[in-house]
Amino acid sequence: MNACAAIQLENVTFGYEPRTPLLRISKLVIEAGRRVFLYGPSGCGKTTLLGLITGVLKPQEGNCIVLGKEMTKLSAPARDRHRGSEMGYIFQSFNLIPCLSVLQNVALPCRVHKLRRRRIVHSTVTQEAVHLLTRLGMEKHLDRNVSQLSTGQQQRVAIARAVIGRPNLVIADEPTSSLDSDSRQIFMDLLFEFCNETHATLVFVSHDRSLMEKFDEQIALNEVNRTRL
Amino acid sequence: MTILRLACASLRSRMFTTCLTVFSIALSVMLLVGVDRIQQGAQSGFEGTLSQTDLVVGARGGSLPLLLYSVFHLGTASNEISYDSYLHFAGHPAVQWVIPLSMGDSYHGFRVVATDNNFYEHYRYRGGHSLVFAEGAQPEGIFDAVLGNAAAAQLHLRVGQKMILSHGLEGSFLQHTADPFTVTGILAHTSTPVDRAIYITLWGDEAMHLGWESGAPPLKPIPESEIRQSDLHIKTISAFLVRTKSRMSALFLQREINTYKPEPLTAIIPAQALEDLWSVLSAADVALSLVSGAVLVVGLLAMLIALYTALNERRREIAILRALGFHIRQIFALFVLESTLISILGVVFGVAGAYLLFFVVGASVENRYGIPLTMTGLSVRVACYTIAVVVAGAVLGLIPAIRAYHNSLADGLTAQ
């Protein structure tokens, strides 16, 4: 096992129906601290791969080591805990829980997971969240209802929630596809800034190849996934 | 803890639906508590109407009608009993006291009951309270009358004023115009049918009917001033209440009255007759409880619909929670918690609403219907209801929770 690998998949097979595997990966290694751009045509299994990495899905075969833990050997609640404590996740859109305020949304991972709460810099979770949101230019919207924010603002709040409590892995699933080019630029800059600061590994899934040069490493999933070969 | 906060926030964000569902459950709980309390109040009110009376005696007939017309002033006596029989038992060695009662007239819808001063002296209600005069005193002359508290208040009659009784019950055209009665006393409030009655003397009752033997007003009424007590002969009364010297002798006396040869009589033990009354009324109680139960089911179903229809909108929210490391069982718990919270709120507001209502209208209900709505704690039945509502709410919450669980299993982090 590579000690520096954040994600290491070996001989992994997964299908929603066991007879028709959707993913078959002989080896996929993502080094810790790297910024990885993962791309591929739709339907090539990007979201499925993210499901395996985050532990929502469990492969039928093979090993899937994420941040030092063999996901296939963990129980479902343990995988959920591991995901919540060590990974930040940014969706394409609608990242925020509608019934909570902006501040509550950002603070939520630290409220749920002790590990993330321990790693905050400021003395309280609220202060930490306020600090992050201020850096994102969202200090005027702390107590607002998330539905009152623009999509660009929502995605920025999503960054704050993904990086609060310094998780070692940040996963972004097409986070810019609903943003206009200006917002996209702001979003990418902020995302990189925060990931660099926390030395988090970033896995960025997108079909927008114009973004790929900014990353340390580019992985085309349809080349890794052997079911298509 | 986080789950509880999330559930609260989620309910708060859907304030309108939450309030409506809580309201519908609260309303049905209020109905259940109300029905229970009214039933209890009615029972204690009825039982409290008469105490320390061992036997009620009237003409041969059913025990329930006798109790109803003699004590509760409901319905009419099927037959009169002779005054001689009354005197016979009044002088019986086993008897401590008797109260004669003669009904048949009314005054603006209030029953007129002819009795004697034993009534003011010996009548007991609610476990030993005796009658107290709020104003004036018991009657002395033939044409003196005493009013129950509610009757006096509603008729706006004061001590010293005169009143003309009508012959027979409700809305009679015939008036005893020749013989007006004078109010000499007004009784203090009792929360029993006594409040709604007008009490005159047996002699007065006899006097105003002088010349009415044919059932119609006499052509030349005898004016009040010409009537003397020595001219009057009481022939019949409607019923009488008996207190015996010992409880044991009550049973023997009951048997003696029921087998009294000179006249067919019925003697009943009030508590026994009340038991009969409850068995009749319990059907109404069951019906009311069923209706409130049905309302409760509707309320809970409204909650189920509200939670279930929100499920699709919330797939996204569930996916976010999953990404944040919530276990699928915690999602399940969230949904069950929401429905449980709604039903707990419904129960709390329902019970509080019911008590508030008792507090506000309790006094007037007691005055008007003689049903005391006491502010005592929850009865065992109501406690069971409230627990059942919360449990039912939680169980119903399982349905959207199971659905959310399956959705989440299928969606993972991908729900859009």
Side-chain angles (χ1 to χ4, degrees):
Chain A
M1 185 185 132
N2 188 339
C4 294
I7 300 167
Q8 185 173 346
L9 274 69
E10 271 173 4
N11 303 319
V12 163
T13 309
F14 177 83
Y16 289 100
E17 284 152 32
R19 285 167 181 231
T20 52
L22 211 77
L23 268 185
R24 186 174 285 153
I25 297 171
S26 55
K27 195 167 180 76
L28 173 69
V29 178
I30 295 174
E31 306 281 324
R34 301 274 279 181
R35 301 186 295 195
V36 177
F37 187 81
L38 189 72
Y39 65 98
S42 55
C44 72
K46 285 176 295 193
T47 306
T48 309
L49 177 62
L50 293 185
L52 292 173
I53 293 170
T54 54
V56 173
L57 303 174
K58 195 175 171 182
Q60 272 95 20
E61 283 170 37
N63 299 320
C64 178
I65 300 162
V66 180
L67 301 168
K69 289 204 174 163
E70 172 59 87
M71 298 298 263
T72 53
K73 287 188 180 141
L74 293 179
S75 67
R79 291 201 303 271
D80 291 328
R81 231 180 351 264
H82 189 48
R83 173 175 65 249
S85 323
E86 298 292 354
M87 304 177 210
Y89 202 101
I90 304 171
F91 292 95
Q92 180 179 338
S93 57
F94 308 114
N95 265 292
L96 307 175
I97 294 170
C99 59
L100 300 180
S101 72
V102 169
L103 192 62
Q104 286 170 329
N105 258 288
V106 173
L108 192 58
C110 288
R111 302 244 183 259
V112 185
H113 299 286
K114 216 185 282 173
L115 256 171
R116 285 177 82 158
R117 197 157 56 236
R118 274 197 208 131
R119 290 194 294 237
I120 59 172
V121 182
H122 291 83
S123 52
T124 67
V125 173
T126 307
Q127 280 175 16
E128 180 88 2
V130 170
H131 174 74
L132 285 171
L133 285 165
T134 309
R135 284 183 59 193
L136 289 162
M138 297 293 295
E139 66 276 12
K140 286 182 185 151
H141 308 290
L142 297 179
D143 294 315
R144 282 181 78 175
N145 194 318
V146 294
S147 60
Q148 293 167 319
L149 302 183
S150 70
T151 317
Q153 288 171 323
Q154 287 189 27
Q155 293 304 83
R156 271 187 273 162
V157 175
I159 297 178
R161 199 185 53 198
V163 300
I164 193 168
R166 296 170 171 265
N168 287 308
L169 175 63
V170 173
I171 297 169
D173 186 3
E174 309 245 16
T176 55
S177 56
S178 54
L179 300 180
D180 57 56
S181 57
D182 287 347
S183 310
R184 188 178 310 159
Q185 194 54 48
I186 297 170
F187 177 86
M188 295 305 295
D189 291 346
L190 286 167
L191 184 62
F192 282 151
E193 183 186 333
F194 280 95
C195 288
N196 285 344
E197 208 174 284
T198 60
H199 308 292
T201 311
L202 173 64
V203 175
F204 191 98
V205 176
S206 181
H207 58 264
D208 182 1
R209 302 224 195 151
S210 67
L211 298 168
M212 69 194 284
E213 292 109 55
K214 299 181 178 181
F215 289 82
D216 303 332
E217 194 176 327
Q218 293 79 24
I219 299 173
L221 186 59
N222 52 349
E223 288 167 21
V224 179
N225 186 0
R226 292 192 302 142
T227 54
R228 306 278 153 163
L229 294 176
Chain B
M1 205 53 214
T2 321
I3 301 273
L4 182 64
R5 271 204 210 137
L6 267 177
C8 291
S10 165
L11 289 179
R12 223 178 305 130
S13 72
R14 285 173 288 125
M15 195 56 120
F16 187 67
T17 349
T18 306
C19 283
L20 277 186
T21 39
V22 166
F23 180 73
S24 65
I25 293 172
L27 209 61
S28 47
V29 169
M30 221 167 112
L31 253 175
L32 277 173
V33 176
V35 165
D36 177 80
R37 192 44 58 85
I38 287 170
Q39 191 258 349
Q40 268 190 355
Q43 194 153 350
S44 69
F46 267 96
E47 276 164 7
T49 299
L50 193 61
S51 63
Q52 298 191 6
T53 295
D54 297 314
L55 295 173
V56 178
V57 184
R60 181 63 50 85
S63 58
L64 209 46
L66 171 57
L67 183 78
L68 288 178
Y69 74 71
S70 62
V71 178
F72 297 105
H73 306 159
L74 296 168
T76 49
S78 50
N79 253 315
E80 300 278 279
I81 56 177
S82 75
Y83 196 62
D84 290 340
S85 303
Y86 160 72
L87 288 177
H88 171 81
F89 287 106
H92 196 280
V95 169
Q96 191 180 340
W97 50 253
V98 285
I99 297 171
L101 300 166
S102 183
M103 286 93 160
D105 288 320
S106 70
Y107 181 75
H108 291 285
F110 291 90
R111 283 292 174 103
V112 174
V113 180
T115 181
D116 65 9
N117 285 346
N118 271 358
F119 172 71
Y120 306 104
E121 200 174 321
H122 296 301
Y123 186 83
R124 293 288 183 278
Y125 66 97
R126 210 147 295 156
H129 290 87
S130 52
L131 294 173
V132 177
F133 280 89
E135 267 182 76
Q138 57 192 52
E140 285 172 357
I142 297 172
F143 290 101
D144 288 352
V146 167
L147 268 61
N149 200 279
Q154 283 179 38
L155 295 168
H156 306 294
L157 284 171
R158 311 289 314 250
V159 170
Q161 284 183 297
K162 288 195 183 294
M163 52 193 224
I164 292 167
L165 305 182
S166 46
H167 186 68
L169 298 177
E170 309 300 327
S172 173
F173 296 111
L174 306 176
Q175 306 254 310
H176 294 287
T177 38
D179 313 300
F181 280 77
T182 310
V183 179
T184 62
I186 292 168
L187 292 169
H189 181 70
T190 63
S191 294
T192 67
V194 170
D195 288 350
R196 298 182 49 78
I198 294 164
Y199 292 91
I200 59 171
T201 60
L202 286 172
W203 301 107
D205 188 38
E206 198 59 35
M208 71 175 165
H209 289 105
L210 267 183
W212 285 61
E213 288 80 0
S214 64
L219 293 172
K220 188 173 170 295
I222 304 154
E224 199 175 312
S225 51
E226 291 175 19
I227 298 176
R228 262 171 267 287
Q229 192 168 329
S230 54
D231 299 334
L232 298 169
H233 301 286
I234 300 165
K235 288 169 215 75
T236 61
I237 59 170
S238 305
F240 58 94
L241 311 179
V242 178
R243 168 76 162 179
T244 53
K245 284 174 182 153
S246 78
R247 301 296 77 72
M248 278 298 288
S249 54
L251 289 171
F252 292 112
L253 188 64
Q254 184 189 21
R255 190 176 157 74
E256 193 179 327
I257 294 172
N258 282 336
T259 55
Y260 184 58
K261 284 279 180 270
E263 190 178 4
L265 296 174
T266 299
I268 58 163
I269 296 169
Q272 265 176 15
L274 272 171
E275 278 304 313
D276 294 348
L277 187 61
W278 294 133
S279 61
V280 175
L281 291 182
S282 66
D285 179 45
V286 167
L288 273 175
S289 298
L290 279 179
V291 169
S292 29
V295 175
L296 179 65
V297 170
V298 172
L300 287 172
L301 283 180
M303 176 185 76
L304 178 60
I305 292 166
L307 288 177
Y308 202 84
T309 46
L311 264 183
N312 254 338
E313 303 161 24
R314 300 182 67 189
R315 287 178 97 139
R316 193 64 226 158
E317 182 185 333
I318 293 166
I320 299 167
L321 291 175
R322 291 281 285 140
L324 289 175
F326 279 85
H327 188 60
I328 204 156
R329 272 182 236 136
Q330 291 176 296
I331 306 285
F332 186 84
L334 177 69
F335 276 82
V336 175
L337 206 57
E338 282 183 20
S339 66
T340 312
L341 280 176
I342 288 181
S343 33
I344 288 174
L345 282 178
V347 164
V348 168
F349 281 115
V351 172
Y355 274 85
L356 191 71
L357 199 69
F358 296 153
F359 183 71
V360 173
V361 303
S364 59
V365 167
E366 187 167 344
N367 280 341
R368 188 164 297 191
Y369 304 107
I371 297 173
L373 295 173
T374 46
M375 298 289 282
T376 49
L378 295 180
S379 70
V380 177
R381 197 162 79 152
V382 169
C384 289
Y385 282 150
T386 56
I387 292 167
V389 172
V390 174
V391 170
V395 169
L396 278 181
L398 291 177
I399 297 171
I402 288 168
R403 180 75 196 281
Y405 184 93
H406 284 293
N407 280 351
S408 179
L409 263 184
D411 293 346
L413 306 180
T414 59
Q416 293 302 322

